[in-house]
Amino acid sequence: MTAGTIPIIEISGPPAERGRQYGEAARERIGAALTYYEEAFGESSGLTWDQVTARAERWLEPVRGYAPDLVEEMAGIAEGAGVGLLDILALNARGEIIYDQTFSRMRGSEGAPGDVAEAKEAAADGCTSFAVLGEASGDGHVYCGQNWDWRAGTADTLLMLRIVQPPRPTLIMQVEAGQIGRQGASSAGVALNANGLGGRFDDAIGLPQTVIRRRVLDSESISAAVDVLCRTRGHIASNALLTCREGFAVDLETTPGAHGWLYPDDGLLVHGNHYQATVPVQLAAGYRPGSSDSLIRVPRAEAGLRQLRGATAPDQSRKLIHQAMSDHLGHPEGLCTHPDPRQPEVKRWMTLLSSCVDLTTGDYYVTPGTPCDREYQHLPWNLYDGPHAPR
């Protein structure tokens, strides 16, 4: 099945088996992802793909120690797609590889020109996430979602993935092909939307974000999801906006050091790609947002989403959310981001997907690409068809 141009894949069974199903169903898109990132990493850092996978291997044992079942799942994906485990691991650690400051040592020199390029590439990740609780929506429903902004060249690698994995909650996620976690929601009524934050920390090996986010979504409750974020050490900084069906949301700015957190204001919470709770001490002296348009996107999204207070039904609320997330102030950058023709093709980015989840009803909507010229499409699954569904 397809939702527009986004394949819809459902997998189930033990970790290795569901991974094999995933790899077989997404073989073509996984190949496209490997081709794109081989070119992108070569352009930004001068590394060959063999060097990239050699770097990615450093995450294998930490992931196996934390979540051995997810290594089994990745191995199954590799088998089904006819590629290597380290290829799949590199796709799952692509953000960590882009941000990692030890690349220069692999090239044999400190401060190589690629370091500047890598920082610019990292700053290109520009998502805007939101949570709208019952007191901020005229229909009383709980909504969440985001505009997922990333490299335009990855558009043909996106998937909507449903994972049936009892006794854990059933998940619906939007991912790049080969990834085991990114953004989504679960049958436990917990949703995760995420944003890059940027900033260099230290050389210690932490967990890839795809692994942490998957474990967040695997959680059976909002408290368990928060606990995952508080007790794991990510390799890079990343923002996590958690929303649950019961009408609670919290945002955690997670870093390899300290975390910051935010709560909704009058039922509304929006987060972009700059630190909004606190700037980590490691960055404070010279901090400047990597994605400068984040300073525009956040208040524009807040203003648009406040209009939901006047909605009287879910279809009207979705229309207002769609309208808010289609904002073009600052074009081609902004809430609804379009590729900038002034940039080299491999470095252009865009809003790859806009999501809107009604956590009250379990309905999941996405646009396959920029929301300004596409309507929300209703996925064929309901969130609450799975273990831990709220009664």
Side-chain angles (χ1 to χ4, degrees), residues 66-115:
Y66 175 67
D69 58 308
L70 296 184
V71 175
E72 290 181 49
E73 190 170 297
M74 284 190 275
I77 296 170
E79 178 186 351
V83 300
L85 171 58
L86 294 183
D87 292 322
I88 298 301
L89 184 57
L91 293 178
N92 278 276
R94 57 89 164 151
E96 285 71 19
I97 294 170
I98 288 173
Y99 278 95
D100 197 271
Q101 59 185 288
T102 61
F103 256 132
S104 56
R105 288 170 219 147
M106 290 190 69
R107 293 191 297 271
S109 63
E110 290 290 341
D115 290 339

mmCIF file of all heavy atoms in Angstrom, residues 66-115:
data_model
loop_
_atom_site.group_PDB
_atom_site.id
_atom_site.type_symbol
_atom_site.label_atom_id
_atom_site.label_comp_id
_atom_site.label_asym_id
_atom_site.label_seq_id
_atom_site.Cartn_x
_atom_site.Cartn_y
_atom_site.Cartn_z
ATOM 1 N N TYR A 66 22.565 -2.468 25.412
ATOM 2 C CA TYR A 66 21.354 -1.788 25.882
ATOM 3 C C TYR A 66 20.078 -2.451 25.369
ATOM 4 O O TYR A 66 19.107 -2.599 26.114
ATOM 5 C CB TYR A 66 21.389 -0.325 25.430
ATOM 6 C CG TYR A 66 20.134 0.446 25.755
ATOM 7 C CD1 TYR A 66 19.787 0.723 27.079
ATOM 8 C CD2 TYR A 66 19.274 0.881 24.750
ATOM 9 C CE1 TYR A 66 18.637 1.430 27.391
ATOM 10 C CE2 TYR A 66 18.124 1.589 25.050
ATOM 11 C CZ TYR A 66 17.802 1.861 26.366
ATOM 12 O OH TYR A 66 16.659 2.555 26.666
ATOM 13 N N ALA A 67 20.068 -2.843 24.108
ATOM 14 C CA ALA A 67 18.851 -3.385 23.485
ATOM 15 C C ALA A 67 19.227 -4.468 22.477
ATOM 16 O O ALA A 67 19.211 -4.226 21.264
ATOM 17 C CB ALA A 67 18.062 -2.259 22.806
ATOM 18 N N PRO A 68 19.598 -5.665 22.955
ATOM 19 C CA PRO A 68 20.032 -6.721 22.038
ATOM 20 C C PRO A 68 18.977 -7.088 21.000
ATOM 21 O O PRO A 68 19.308 -7.464 19.876
ATOM 22 C CB PRO A 68 20.346 -7.900 22.967
ATOM 23 C CG PRO A 68 19.660 -7.578 24.269
ATOM 24 C CD PRO A 68 19.642 -6.104 24.372
ATOM 25 N N ASP A 69 17.715 -6.958 21.364
ATOM 26 C CA ASP A 69 16.651 -7.279 20.410
ATOM 27 C C ASP A 69 16.657 -6.336 19.213
ATOM 28 O O ASP A 69 16.302 -6.725 18.091
ATOM 29 C CB ASP A 69 15.284 -7.244 21.088
ATOM 30 C CG ASP A 69 14.973 -5.899 21.736
ATOM 31 O OD1 ASP A 69 15.809 -5.410 22.526
ATOM 32 O OD2 ASP A 69 13.903 -5.331 21.454
ATOM 33 N N LEU A 70 17.092 -5.085 19.428
ATOM 34 C CA LEU A 70 17.122 -4.137 18.316
ATOM 35 C C LEU A 70 18.293 -4.413 17.383
ATOM 36 O O LEU A 70 18.208 -4.130 16.184
ATOM 37 C CB LEU A 70 17.153 -2.706 18.839
ATOM 38 C CG LEU A 70 15.909 -2.282 19.632
ATOM 39 C CD1 LEU A 70 15.982 -0.814 20.020
ATOM 40 C CD2 LEU A 70 14.621 -2.564 18.849
ATOM 41 N N VAL A 71 19.394 -4.965 17.909
ATOM 42 C CA VAL A 71 20.468 -5.421 17.029
ATOM 43 C C VAL A 71 19.981 -6.602 16.190
ATOM 44 O O VAL A 71 20.266 -6.688 14.992
ATOM 45 C CB VAL A 71 21.728 -5.794 17.838
ATOM 46 C CG1 VAL A 71 22.795 -6.394 16.932
ATOM 47 C CG2 VAL A 71 22.285 -4.567 18.549
ATOM 48 N N GLU A 72 19.219 -7.514 16.808
ATOM 49 C CA GLU A 72 18.624 -8.620 16.048
ATOM 50 C C GLU A 72 17.715 -8.088 14.949
ATOM 51 O O GLU A 72 17.713 -8.612 13.820
ATOM 52 C CB GLU A 72 17.820 -9.532 16.981
ATOM 53 C CG GLU A 72 18.627 -10.353 17.957
ATOM 54 C CD GLU A 72 17.711 -11.232 18.793
ATOM 55 O OE1 GLU A 72 16.837 -11.922 18.210
ATOM 56 O OE2 GLU A 72 17.835 -11.216 20.029
ATOM 57 N N GLU A 73 16.919 -7.098 15.281
ATOM 58 C CA GLU A 73 16.022 -6.522 14.281
ATOM 59 C C GLU A 73 16.811 -5.890 13.143
ATOM 60 O O GLU A 73 16.464 -6.061 11.961
ATOM 61 C CB GLU A 73 15.099 -5.490 14.936
ATOM 62 C CG GLU A 73 13.978 -5.004 14.029
ATOM 63 C CD GLU A 73 12.948 -4.183 14.794
ATOM 64 O OE1 GLU A 73 12.309 -4.749 15.704
ATOM 65 O OE2 GLU A 73 12.798 -2.991 14.484
ATOM 66 N N MET A 74 17.887 -5.151 13.463
ATOM 67 C CA MET A 74 18.710 -4.553 12.421
ATOM 68 C C MET A 74 19.386 -5.621 11.564
ATOM 69 O O MET A 74 19.511 -5.473 10.343
ATOM 70 C CB MET A 74 19.749 -3.599 13.029
ATOM 71 C CG MET A 74 19.167 -2.262 13.462
ATOM 72 S SD MET A 74 20.436 -1.041 13.902
ATOM 73 C CE MET A 74 20.736 -1.487 15.610
ATOM 74 N N ALA A 75 19.828 -6.712 12.200
ATOM 75 C CA ALA A 75 20.433 -7.803 11.438
ATOM 76 C C ALA A 75 19.407 -8.417 10.494
ATOM 77 O O ALA A 75 19.727 -8.785 9.354
ATOM 78 C CB ALA A 75 20.993 -8.859 12.387
ATOM 79 N N GLY A 76 18.165 -8.519 10.956
ATOM 80 C CA GLY A 76 17.100 -9.036 10.092
ATOM 81 C C GLY A 76 16.828 -8.106 8.922
ATOM 82 O O GLY A 76 16.613 -8.555 7.787
ATOM 83 N N ILE A 77 16.844 -6.799 9.178
ATOM 84 C CA ILE A 77 16.660 -5.819 8.094
ATOM 85 C C ILE A 77 17.758 -5.995 7.056
ATOM 86 O O ILE A 77 17.501 -6.017 5.842
ATOM 87 C CB ILE A 77 16.659 -4.382 8.651
ATOM 88 C CG1 ILE A 77 15.467 -4.153 9.575
ATOM 89 C CG2 ILE A 77 16.640 -3.363 7.503
ATOM 90 C CD1 ILE A 77 15.529 -2.839 10.358
ATOM 91 N N ALA A 78 19.000 -6.127 7.535
ATOM 92 C CA ALA A 78 20.133 -6.296 6.622
ATOM 93 C C ALA A 78 19.969 -7.558 5.777
ATOM 94 O O ALA A 78 20.189 -7.538 4.561
ATOM 95 C CB ALA A 78 21.433 -6.348 7.429
ATOM 96 N N GLU A 79 19.565 -8.653 6.419
ATOM 97 C CA GLU A 79 19.368 -9.907 5.674
ATOM 98 C C GLU A 79 18.277 -9.744 4.629
ATOM 99 O O GLU A 79 18.443 -10.142 3.465
ATOM 100 C CB GLU A 79 18.997 -11.024 6.649
ATOM 101 C CG GLU A 79 18.731 -12.358 5.961
ATOM 102 C CD GLU A 79 18.232 -13.424 6.919
ATOM 103 O OE1 GLU A 79 18.244 -13.182 8.145
ATOM 104 O OE2 GLU A 79 17.816 -14.500 6.446
ATOM 105 N N GLY A 80 17.153 -9.164 5.020
ATOM 106 C CA GLY A 80 16.048 -9.008 4.083
ATOM 107 C C GLY A 80 16.373 -8.085 2.932
ATOM 108 O O GLY A 80 15.901 -8.281 1.804
ATOM 109 N N ALA A 81 17.202 -7.071 3.179
ATOM 110 C CA ALA A 81 17.546 -6.102 2.140
ATOM 111 C C ALA A 81 18.772 -6.505 1.335
ATOM 112 O O ALA A 81 19.101 -5.861 0.337
ATOM 113 C CB ALA A 81 17.784 -4.730 2.770
ATOM 114 N N GLY A 82 19.477 -7.551 1.795
ATOM 115 C CA GLY A 82 20.669 -7.994 1.088
ATOM 116 C C GLY A 82 21.854 -7.061 1.255
ATOM 117 O O GLY A 82 22.655 -6.900 0.333
ATOM 118 N N VAL A 83 21.971 -6.460 2.445
ATOM 119 C CA VAL A 83 23.096 -5.567 2.735
ATOM 120 C C VAL A 83 23.737 -6.007 4.046
ATOM 121 O O VAL A 83 23.303 -6.976 4.669
ATOM 122 C CB VAL A 83 22.640 -4.092 2.808
ATOM 123 C CG1 VAL A 83 22.015 -3.662 1.492
ATOM 124 C CG2 VAL A 83 21.652 -3.868 3.957
ATOM 125 N N GLY A 84 24.766 -5.289 4.492
ATOM 126 C CA GLY A 84 25.454 -5.647 5.720
ATOM 127 C C GLY A 84 24.828 -5.025 6.950
ATOM 128 O O GLY A 84 24.186 -3.966 6.879
ATOM 129 N N LEU A 85 25.038 -5.646 8.095
ATOM 130 C CA LEU A 85 24.537 -5.100 9.356
ATOM 131 C C LEU A 85 25.091 -3.701 9.597
ATOM 132 O O LEU A 85 24.366 -2.809 10.058
ATOM 133 C CB LEU A 85 24.915 -6.024 10.515
ATOM 134 C CG LEU A 85 24.645 -5.494 11.937
ATOM 135 C CD1 LEU A 85 23.168 -5.160 12.132
ATOM 136 C CD2 LEU A 85 25.116 -6.505 12.984
ATOM 137 N N LEU A 86 26.375 -3.481 9.280
ATOM 138 C CA LEU A 86 26.955 -2.162 9.520
ATOM 139 C C LEU A 86 26.370 -1.107 8.593
ATOM 140 O O LEU A 86 26.335 0.074 8.939
ATOM 141 C CB LEU A 86 28.474 -2.213 9.385
ATOM 142 C CG LEU A 86 29.211 -3.044 10.447
ATOM 143 C CD1 LEU A 86 30.716 -2.942 10.244
ATOM 144 C CD2 LEU A 86 28.829 -2.603 11.863
ATOM 145 N N ASP A 87 25.889 -1.513 7.407
ATOM 146 C CA ASP A 87 25.177 -0.563 6.551
ATOM 147 C C ASP A 87 23.922 -0.065 7.253
ATOM 148 O O ASP A 87 23.627 1.132 7.265
ATOM 149 C CB ASP A 87 24.786 -1.227 5.224
ATOM 150 C CG ASP A 87 25.968 -1.560 4.343
ATOM 151 O OD1 ASP A 87 26.920 -0.766 4.306
ATOM 152 O OD2 ASP A 87 25.938 -2.617 3.691
ATOM 153 N N ILE A 88 23.171 -1.005 7.835
ATOM 154 C CA ILE A 88 21.929 -0.634 8.526
ATOM 155 C C ILE A 88 22.242 0.162 9.782
ATOM 156 O O ILE A 88 21.554 1.147 10.097
ATOM 157 C CB ILE A 88 21.110 -1.899 8.863
ATOM 158 C CG1 ILE A 88 20.713 -2.637 7.581
ATOM 159 C CG2 ILE A 88 19.871 -1.534 9.675
ATOM 160 C CD1 ILE A 88 19.888 -1.818 6.608
ATOM 161 N N LEU A 89 23.286 -0.200 10.498
ATOM 162 C CA LEU A 89 23.664 0.541 11.699
ATOM 163 C C LEU A 89 24.048 1.973 11.333
ATOM 164 O O LEU A 89 23.702 2.927 12.038
ATOM 165 C CB LEU A 89 24.816 -0.165 12.415
ATOM 166 C CG LEU A 89 25.256 0.434 13.749
ATOM 167 C CD1 LEU A 89 24.104 0.520 14.737
ATOM 168 C CD2 LEU A 89 26.411 -0.373 14.343
ATOM 169 N N ALA A 90 24.748 2.139 10.208
ATOM 170 C CA ALA A 90 25.132 3.487 9.778
ATOM 171 C C ALA A 90 23.911 4.333 9.444
ATOM 172 O O ALA A 90 23.876 5.530 9.745
ATOM 173 C CB ALA A 90 26.057 3.405 8.565
ATOM 174 N N LEU A 91 22.874 3.728 8.845
ATOM 175 C CA LEU A 91 21.645 4.473 8.571
ATOM 176 C C LEU A 91 20.964 4.883 9.870
ATOM 177 O O LEU A 91 20.344 5.943 9.950
ATOM 178 C CB LEU A 91 20.687 3.633 7.721
ATOM 179 C CG LEU A 91 21.138 3.329 6.287
ATOM 180 C CD1 LEU A 91 20.098 2.457 5.589
ATOM 181 C CD2 LEU A 91 21.370 4.616 5.499
ATOM 182 N N ASN A 92 21.080 4.040 10.896
ATOM 183 C CA ASN A 92 20.470 4.355 12.187
ATOM 184 C C ASN A 92 21.292 5.352 12.993
ATOM 185 O O ASN A 92 20.762 5.997 13.894
ATOM 186 C CB ASN A 92 20.257 3.070 12.993
ATOM 187 C CG ASN A 92 19.002 2.332 12.589
ATOM 188 O OD1 ASN A 92 17.916 2.641 13.066
ATOM 189 N ND2 ASN A 92 19.132 1.387 11.662
ATOM 190 N N ALA A 93 22.560 5.487 12.672
ATOM 191 C CA ALA A 93 23.431 6.426 13.391
ATOM 192 C C ALA A 93 23.854 7.580 12.495
ATOM 193 O O ALA A 93 24.854 8.238 12.769
ATOM 194 C CB ALA A 93 24.662 5.691 13.920
ATOM 195 N N ARG A 94 23.070 7.878 11.454
ATOM 196 C CA ARG A 94 23.512 8.909 10.508
ATOM 197 C C ARG A 94 23.644 10.269 11.188
ATOM 198 O O ARG A 94 24.558 11.033 10.914
ATOM 199 C CB ARG A 94 22.600 8.953 9.286
ATOM 200 C CG ARG A 94 21.102 9.184 9.528
ATOM 201 C CD ARG A 94 20.746 10.654 9.538
ATOM 202 N NE ARG A 94 19.308 10.889 9.405
ATOM 203 C CZ ARG A 94 18.699 11.941 9.923
ATOM 204 N NH1 ARG A 94 19.362 12.821 10.662
ATOM 205 N NH2 ARG A 94 17.394 12.114 9.734
ATOM 206 N N GLY A 95 22.758 10.598 12.117
ATOM 207 C CA GLY A 95 22.858 11.868 12.826
ATOM 208 C C GLY A 95 24.093 11.929 13.696
ATOM 209 O O GLY A 95 24.792 12.948 13.755
ATOM 210 N N GLU A 96 24.399 10.829 14.383
ATOM 211 C CA GLU A 96 25.572 10.782 15.243
ATOM 212 C C GLU A 96 26.853 10.915 14.417
ATOM 213 O O GLU A 96 27.803 11.576 14.812
ATOM 214 C CB GLU A 96 25.584 9.462 16.030
ATOM 215 C CG GLU A 96 24.594 9.392 17.171
ATOM 216 C CD GLU A 96 23.135 9.286 16.722
ATOM 217 O OE1 GLU A 96 22.885 8.912 15.545
ATOM 218 O OE2 GLU A 96 22.240 9.580 17.532
ATOM 219 N N ILE A 97 26.876 10.269 13.246
ATOM 220 C CA ILE A 97 28.056 10.342 12.383
ATOM 221 C C ILE A 97 28.245 11.767 11.870
ATOM 222 O O ILE A 97 29.364 12.289 11.824
ATOM 223 C CB ILE A 97 27.932 9.337 11.223
ATOM 224 C CG1 ILE A 97 27.964 7.900 11.759
ATOM 225 C CG2 ILE A 97 29.056 9.534 10.208
ATOM 226 C CD1 ILE A 97 27.612 6.842 10.731
ATOM 227 N N ILE A 98 27.155 12.420 11.492
ATOM 228 C CA ILE A 98 27.248 13.793 10.996
ATOM 229 C C ILE A 98 27.779 14.731 12.071
ATOM 230 O O ILE A 98 28.637 15.584 11.819
ATOM 231 C CB ILE A 98 25.874 14.278 10.495
ATOM 232 C CG1 ILE A 98 25.526 13.583 9.172
ATOM 233 C CG2 ILE A 98 25.859 15.790 10.309
ATOM 234 C CD1 ILE A 98 24.122 13.866 8.687
ATOM 235 N N TYR A 99 27.294 14.577 13.301
ATOM 236 C CA TYR A 99 27.694 15.488 14.377
ATOM 237 C C TYR A 99 29.061 15.147 14.977
ATOM 238 O O TYR A 99 29.689 15.979 15.609
ATOM 239 C CB TYR A 99 26.675 15.436 15.521
ATOM 240 C CG TYR A 99 25.453 16.283 15.328
ATOM 241 C CD1 TYR A 99 24.294 15.736 14.802
ATOM 242 C CD2 TYR A 99 25.447 17.615 15.697
ATOM 243 C CE1 TYR A 99 23.146 16.502 14.637
ATOM 244 C CE2 TYR A 99 24.313 18.387 15.542
ATOM 245 C CZ TYR A 99 23.161 17.825 15.015
ATOM 246 O OH TYR A 99 22.029 18.580 14.858
ATOM 247 N N ASP A 100 29.506 13.898 14.824
ATOM 248 C CA ASP A 100 30.637 13.422 15.613
ATOM 249 C C ASP A 100 31.924 14.186 15.315
ATOM 250 O O ASP A 100 32.313 14.343 14.165
ATOM 251 C CB ASP A 100 30.860 11.927 15.380
ATOM 252 C CG ASP A 100 31.732 11.329 16.456
ATOM 253 O OD1 ASP A 100 32.954 11.353 16.275
ATOM 254 O OD2 ASP A 100 31.202 10.872 17.480
ATOM 255 N N GLN A 101 32.599 14.637 16.349
ATOM 256 C CA GLN A 101 33.791 15.460 16.170
ATOM 257 C C GLN A 101 35.052 14.643 15.971
ATOM 258 O O GLN A 101 36.137 15.192 15.786
ATOM 259 C CB GLN A 101 33.965 16.393 17.373
ATOM 260 C CG GLN A 101 34.092 15.673 18.704
ATOM 261 C CD GLN A 101 34.137 16.655 19.852
ATOM 262 O OE1 GLN A 101 35.126 17.352 20.034
ATOM 263 N NE2 GLN A 101 33.072 16.740 20.621
ATOM 264 N N THR A 102 34.983 13.312 16.000
ATOM 265 C CA THR A 102 36.170 12.484 15.818
ATOM 266 C C THR A 102 36.412 12.135 14.359
ATOM 267 O O THR A 102 37.355 11.428 14.043
ATOM 268 C CB THR A 102 36.062 11.180 16.626
ATOM 269 O OG1 THR A 102 34.926 10.445 16.167
ATOM 270 C CG2 THR A 102 35.905 11.464 18.097
ATOM 271 N N PHE A 103 35.586 12.634 13.456
ATOM 272 C CA PHE A 103 35.798 12.370 12.037
ATOM 273 C C PHE A 103 37.191 12.817 11.593
ATOM 274 O O PHE A 103 37.841 12.164 10.786
ATOM 275 C CB PHE A 103 34.765 13.127 11.195
ATOM 276 C CG PHE A 103 33.673 12.242 10.662
ATOM 277 C CD1 PHE A 103 32.347 12.620 10.791
ATOM 278 C CD2 PHE A 103 33.970 11.060 10.030
ATOM 279 C CE1 PHE A 103 31.333 11.823 10.302
ATOM 280 C CE2 PHE A 103 32.957 10.256 9.533
ATOM 281 C CZ PHE A 103 31.647 10.641 9.666
ATOM 282 N N SER A 104 37.622 13.949 12.092
ATOM 283 C CA SER A 104 38.900 14.496 11.638
ATOM 284 C C SER A 104 40.046 13.530 11.917
ATOM 285 O O SER A 104 40.994 13.437 11.163
ATOM 286 C CB SER A 104 39.173 15.839 12.318
ATOM 287 O OG SER A 104 39.133 15.701 13.715
ATOM 288 N N ARG A 105 39.935 12.774 13.018
ATOM 289 C CA ARG A 105 41.000 11.834 13.350
ATOM 290 C C ARG A 105 41.031 10.668 12.380
ATOM 291 O O ARG A 105 42.065 10.089 12.116
ATOM 292 C CB ARG A 105 40.824 11.334 14.782
ATOM 293 C CG ARG A 105 41.172 12.420 15.778
ATOM 294 C CD ARG A 105 40.798 12.057 17.192
ATOM 295 N NE ARG A 105 40.286 13.267 17.830
ATOM 296 C CZ ARG A 105 39.347 13.278 18.744
ATOM 297 N NH1 ARG A 105 38.808 12.152 19.134
ATOM 298 N NH2 ARG A 105 38.939 14.395 19.259
ATOM 299 N N MET A 106 39.873 10.307 11.841
ATOM 300 C CA MET A 106 39.846 9.243 10.838
ATOM 301 C C MET A 106 40.544 9.710 9.570
ATOM 302 O O MET A 106 41.106 8.917 8.833
ATOM 303 C CB MET A 106 38.416 8.837 10.517
ATOM 304 C CG MET A 106 37.726 8.113 11.647
ATOM 305 S SD MET A 106 36.170 7.411 11.088
ATOM 306 C CE MET A 106 36.783 6.139 9.986
ATOM 307 N N ARG A 107 40.529 11.013 9.313
ATOM 308 C CA ARG A 107 41.218 11.537 8.137
ATOM 309 C C ARG A 107 42.692 11.798 8.438
ATOM 310 O O ARG A 107 43.463 12.141 7.555
ATOM 311 C CB ARG A 107 40.563 12.858 7.689
ATOM 312 C CG ARG A 107 39.169 12.664 7.163
ATOM 313 C CD ARG A 107 38.688 13.928 6.490
ATOM 314 N NE ARG A 107 38.588 15.046 7.431
ATOM 315 C CZ ARG A 107 37.497 15.317 8.134
ATOM 316 N NH1 ARG A 107 36.421 14.551 8.015
ATOM 317 N NH2 ARG A 107 37.467 16.341 8.947
ATOM 318 N N GLY A 108 43.064 11.670 9.722
ATOM 319 C CA GLY A 108 44.461 11.782 10.078
ATOM 320 C C GLY A 108 44.923 13.182 10.389
ATOM 321 O O GLY A 108 46.114 13.430 10.525
ATOM 322 N N SER A 109 43.982 14.141 10.524
ATOM 323 C CA SER A 109 44.404 15.502 10.860
ATOM 324 C C SER A 109 43.309 16.203 11.623
ATOM 325 O O SER A 109 42.132 16.026 11.335
ATOM 326 C CB SER A 109 44.722 16.289 9.588
ATOM 327 O OG SER A 109 43.573 16.439 8.783
ATOM 328 N N GLU A 110 43.673 17.001 12.594
ATOM 329 C CA GLU A 110 42.713 17.787 13.353
ATOM 330 C C GLU A 110 42.321 19.022 12.549
ATOM 331 O O GLU A 110 43.146 19.599 11.836
ATOM 332 C CB GLU A 110 43.309 18.215 14.690
ATOM 333 C CG GLU A 110 43.499 17.066 15.670
ATOM 334 C CD GLU A 110 42.197 16.519 16.193
ATOM 335 O OE1 GLU A 110 41.170 17.219 16.099
ATOM 336 O OE2 GLU A 110 42.188 15.396 16.710
ATOM 337 N N GLY A 111 41.073 19.429 12.696
ATOM 338 C CA GLY A 111 40.636 20.678 12.098
ATOM 339 C C GLY A 111 40.601 20.650 10.587
ATOM 340 O O GLY A 111 40.800 21.673 9.949
ATOM 341 N N ALA A 112 40.369 19.466 9.993
ATOM 342 C CA ALA A 112 40.315 19.374 8.542
ATOM 343 C C ALA A 112 39.131 20.148 8.011
ATOM 344 O O ALA A 112 38.158 20.391 8.725
ATOM 345 C CB ALA A 112 40.216 17.905 8.119
ATOM 346 N N PRO A 113 39.156 20.588 6.738
ATOM 347 C CA PRO A 113 38.082 21.421 6.195
ATOM 348 C C PRO A 113 36.714 20.800 6.351
ATOM 349 O O PRO A 113 35.729 21.506 6.477
ATOM 350 C CB PRO A 113 38.480 21.556 4.719
ATOM 351 C CG PRO A 113 39.960 21.386 4.699
ATOM 352 C CD PRO A 113 40.265 20.394 5.771
ATOM 353 N N GLY A 114 36.646 19.467 6.353
ATOM 354 C CA GLY A 114 35.341 18.824 6.461
ATOM 355 C C GLY A 114 34.617 19.125 7.753
ATOM 356 O O GLY A 114 33.407 19.005 7.832
ATOM 357 N N ASP A 115 35.370 19.506 8.806
ATOM 358 C CA ASP A 115 34.716 19.774 10.088
ATOM 359 C C ASP A 115 33.682 20.877 9.962
ATOM 360 O O ASP A 115 32.600 20.811 10.535
ATOM 361 C CB ASP A 115 35.754 20.193 11.141
ATOM 362 C CG ASP A 115 36.643 19.036 11.544
ATOM 363 O OD1 ASP A 115 36.223 17.894 11.340
ATOM 364 O OD2 ASP A 115 37.744 19.298 12.041
#
